[in-house]
Amino acid sequence: MGIRWSLLPFLLMAVLLVAVAAGLRRAGVSLPATVLDGALSPQRAVPGGAAWIAGAVAVALVPLMIQAGRPDAVLERWDTLYHLSALQHVRETGIASSLQVGVISSTQGDPSYYPAAFHALAALVPGVPTATLLNATVLALAVVPWILGIALLARTVFAEVSWAPFAAAVTAILIPATPLDLWIHLSPIPNLSGFAALPGALAAAAALWNALLPGISARPALAAAAAVGSAGAGLGLMHPNVAVTALILLAVLTAVTAAPQWRRRPALIAVPVLAVLPVALLSFTPLGAHVTGFNGGLEVSWWLALGEVLLGLLTVWPMALGVVIAMLWWPGLVTALAAPARRWLAIAWIVIAVIYLDAALDSPLNLSALFYRGQDRLSMPLAMLSAVLVVPGLQCWTRVLGRWPARRSASRGPSAMTAGLVVAAVLLTLTSVPARSDNAAKNLAADYPGRGRFLQADERLLFEQHVPQMDPEGTVLASPFSGAAHLYALFGQDVRLPVAGMAYTDLDRDLLYATEDAATDPADCRLLEENGIAYVYQELQPYNRHKTSDSVNLAGPDLGTLLFSTDHSRMIEIDCDPGDGSYDPV
């Protein structure tokens, strides 16, 4: 709309949304009563429940925080380069539209689509350095909605089980392949923050559908459709992959729960059909060509893919704790299949597992085409459903252990057994800490054997010392796979190629190639100067080999003044004056 993005338009739109909702309510359009009305669970359903949840959060977060060492640590993943620059761009320009944020990948300033809802939301917080803001926002959005949403989903499906939200919430924190884990593993931030919001949206949709199914009336159905549609639009703005997953799960929910009534109420068939129709259009028409045409992803053998799913060792942070949790949700999956009211949850798990296997095998069926054939993304909804299935799994184990013949007495046996199981669960959970710490160290620690770094610790220290003395209008030319790409987000310094995966123009290539001979060829040096290049940053030990980008590393130090250097890099301020009086500065 041409309005600079800030907290003010955000608040105005929020007020407008509330006003619309109030108007609809006054007109008699209101949501039906659902199982989610009231408290999430009885106040004392689980003794010390808040403390147990806090402890589980500590197990998940503390290893990451220790490895990061500082709130503005830069996660060493390619995607982090993009999201740091995207967030800085939104804060600097006030342009947060998903239709335009992709401009950071083009030196010509050509806008392109990229789901920017995460960056728009993060950019609302003022006065915080960009790197700190990125980390804090990811932590908040990857942890809080994920835990609360899965608790709500458990409350919806197992309303009669007072402890279900607690059990699902604790599992949601600890189960491998959470959005938090995927952040450190691969850093697809819009994707993971959207998937963290998915459980709550699905819980609301399921609760509303169950309330409406006995007898659908027009006004409550309209209100429910508006609420679910708004949530779906929000998920789509976070990332289209998440909206696709929501539609698939919604189709399973409505089809399985309404199937017994289709003969008597055939109109109900339209709901799952309408849910799956957009997925089909994206999969089999040019509408989804940008995604479905993608080739790549991690391909594994069939037995390994099957083992990942069956044992809970999903591709994101597989650890022994995942196998222990699988021993809980597998009985839950079997029992949920046998329970008509919960069958949709088990079938949804099977559907997502099949799509996961398709991605893992790079199957010719292309069921995972809308997910870039990446099992890392699919691991999150699979973990979400598994966490909820832990509830019937625990019920199943309780029945089995309740019949344990060796218990000494009805009064003493169960309490002693419960205490033993709690201690065992705590110890098994703590065994995941070393794995979490090592996984975090691979991409957060200042150094990790065998893994390169975009931004080295000594390099960042020199940036902090020298960037304040650099010309803020002078552009830095460097490989987008280098630490210099962070200069824009961390210090506001202009960088020609700020993100990995830049779409190079002919001029970009000419500038990179010109650095090779700029020290001896006045024409090449003049080309750099005319295009605002004031600094050249070189890697002596490139993080990523790329023929065009590496050209910038071939120039000698006599290109100008050496500002600083490390064992693996150096920053040169270009000086095109040969000293013979022939130099005519631009």
Side-chain angles (χ1 to χ4, degrees):
M1 297 175 67
I3 300 173
R4 183 180 177 87
W5 178 249
S6 67
L7 194 58
L8 180 60
F10 175 81
L11 292 175
L12 289 175
M13 290 302 296
V15 170
L16 178 62
L17 182 62
V18 171
V20 169
L24 288 171
R25 186 175 183 85
R26 178 164 294 188
V29 180
S30 60
L31 293 171
T34 74
V35 71
L36 292 180
D37 296 345
L40 182 59
S41 63
Q43 189 172 6
R44 297 183 180 179
V46 178
W52 287 109
I53 290 178
V57 171
V59 169
L61 288 187
V62 170
L64 276 60
M65 299 170 70
I66 291 174
Q67 292 298 337
R70 50 190 292 176
D72 61 347
V74 173
L75 186 65
E76 294 293 333
R77 300 303 295 167
W78 282 21
D79 284 22
T80 308
L81 288 167
Y82 187 97
H83 299 305
L84 273 171
S85 293
L87 182 53
Q88 177 69 10
H89 175 78
V90 172
R91 302 181 86 185
E92 186 178 90
T93 65
I95 299 173
S97 168
S98 295
L99 300 177
Q100 298 184 57
V101 163
V103 71
I104 62 169
S105 294
S106 169
T107 55
Q108 290 182 311
D110 297 330
S112 60
Y113 172 80
Y114 190 87
F118 168 86
H119 309 92
L121 188 59
L124 294 174
V125 181
V128 180
T130 299
T132 302
L133 180 60
L134 182 72
N135 292 339
T137 309
V138 174
L139 277 174
L141 295 184
V143 173
V144 179
W146 174 257
I147 298 171
L148 181 57
I150 288 179
L152 288 167
L153 187 55
R155 164 72 173 164
T156 302
V157 182
F158 304 99
E160 74 285 359
V161 183
S162 62
W163 48 265
F166 167 81
V170 171
T171 307
I173 302 167
L174 298 174
I175 193 169
T178 67
L180 181 69
D181 299 338
L182 189 62
W183 173 44
I184 307 299
H185 174 75
L186 205 58
S187 197
I189 290 173
N191 204 274
L192 66 88
S193 56
F195 272 114
L198 176 62
L202 181 61
L208 290 168
W209 175 253
N210 290 334
L212 291 169
L213 191 57
I216 296 177
S217 55
R219 288 187 176 182
L222 177 63
V228 173
S230 298
L235 294 176
L237 288 171
M238 294 298 281
H239 200 288
N241 283 347
V242 184
V244 166
T245 308
L247 288 169
I248 293 172
L249 295 174
L250 193 61
V252 173
L253 163 69
T254 54
V256 174
T257 54
Q261 304 184 39
W262 280 354
R263 284 188 178 182
R264 185 166 49 90
R265 303 165 66 187
L268 291 175
I269 300 175
V271 181
V273 170
L274 290 174
V276 84
L277 183 60
V279 180
L281 289 174
L282 289 171
S283 300
F284 304 111
T285 70
L287 291 174
H290 178 70
V291 177
T292 55
F294 176 79
N295 289 314
L298 176 64
E299 181 181 357
V300 300
S301 59
W302 69 267
W303 55 269
L304 185 58
L306 200 59
E308 289 179 2
V309 172
L310 298 181
L311 298 176
L313 296 172
L314 304 180
T315 188
V316 179
W317 285 27
M319 60 180 78
L321 182 62
V323 180
V324 176
I325 296 175
M327 294 173 63
L328 301 180
W329 57 252
W330 259 113
L333 178 67
V334 174
T335 56
L337 278 171
R342 303 164 182 173
R343 187 171 295 143
W344 75 267
L345 186 69
I347 294 177
W349 187 95
I350 293 170
V351 169
I352 299 299
V354 168
I355 301 174
Y356 179 97
L357 290 171
D358 178 271
L361 300 174
D362 273 359
S363 161
L365 296 176
N366 274 339
L367 300 177
S368 59
L370 293 178
F371 298 89
Y372 294 100
R373 305 173 70 86
Q375 55 267 45
D376 52 316
R377 294 166 173 83
L378 289 157
S379 65
M380 290 181 288
L382 201 54
M384 170 189 76
L385 297 169
S386 299
V388 179
L389 286 169
V390 161
V391 174
L394 286 170
Q395 289 178 314
C396 184
W397 280 111
T398 299
R399 290 192 293 270
V400 171
L401 295 175
R403 295 193 296 266
W404 194 268
R407 69 180 188 272
R408 294 183 178 179
S409 69
S411 59
R412 296 178 57 190
S415 60
M417 182 180 294
T418 299
L421 290 173
V422 169
V423 171
V426 170
L427 293 176
L428 288 169
T429 299
L430 292 175
T431 62
S432 72
V433 171
R436 296 177 190 275
S437 180
D438 184 61
N439 286 330
K442 290 176 181 176
N443 297 320
L444 275 174
D447 183 63
Y448 191 90
R451 293 178 74 97
R453 290 291 185 256
F454 288 114
L455 186 62
Q456 310 278 352
D458 55 349
E459 190 174 51
R460 181 167 185 172
L461 181 62
L462 289 169
F463 284 165
E464 293 170 350
Q465 293 175 1
H466 290 272
V467 169
Q469 284 76 49
M470 293 170 62
D471 179 6
E473 302 298 325
T475 300
V476 177
L477 182 63
S479 166
F481 305 101
S482 71
H486 292 295
L487 285 171
Y488 171 61
L490 297 180
F491 306 102
Q493 182 70 37
D494 187 54
V495 178
R496 176 91 186 178
L497 307 171
V499 299
M502 291 290 302
Y504 287 172
T505 64
D506 290 339
L507 179 58
D508 294 331
R509 293 185 179 88
D510 290 342
L511 292 173
L512 288 166
Y513 294 144
T515 58
E516 298 182 26
D517 303 311
T520 56
D521 189 332
D524 283 343
C525 198
R526 172 71 69 171
L527 179 66
L528 297 175
E529 188 180 58
E530 288 175 346
N531 286 278
I533 307 299
Y535 305 95
V536 166
Y537 172 88
Q538 299 177 309
E539 293 177 287
L540 307 181
Q541 300 173 8
Y543 174 89
N544 183 75
R545 298 287 180 181
H546 186 272
K547 182 178 180 181
T548 301
S549 302
D550 287 351
S551 297
V552 78
N553 300 324
L554 301 179
D558 50 351
L559 179 60
T561 304
L562 183 65
L563 295 185
F564 61 83
S565 65
T566 69
D567 292 339
H568 48 81
S569 61
R570 62 189 174 204
M571 179 77 76
I572 300 172
E573 183 175 10
I574 294 176
D575 184 2
C576 293
D577 186 359
D580 58 5
S582 62
Y583 176 65
D584 182 16
V586 175

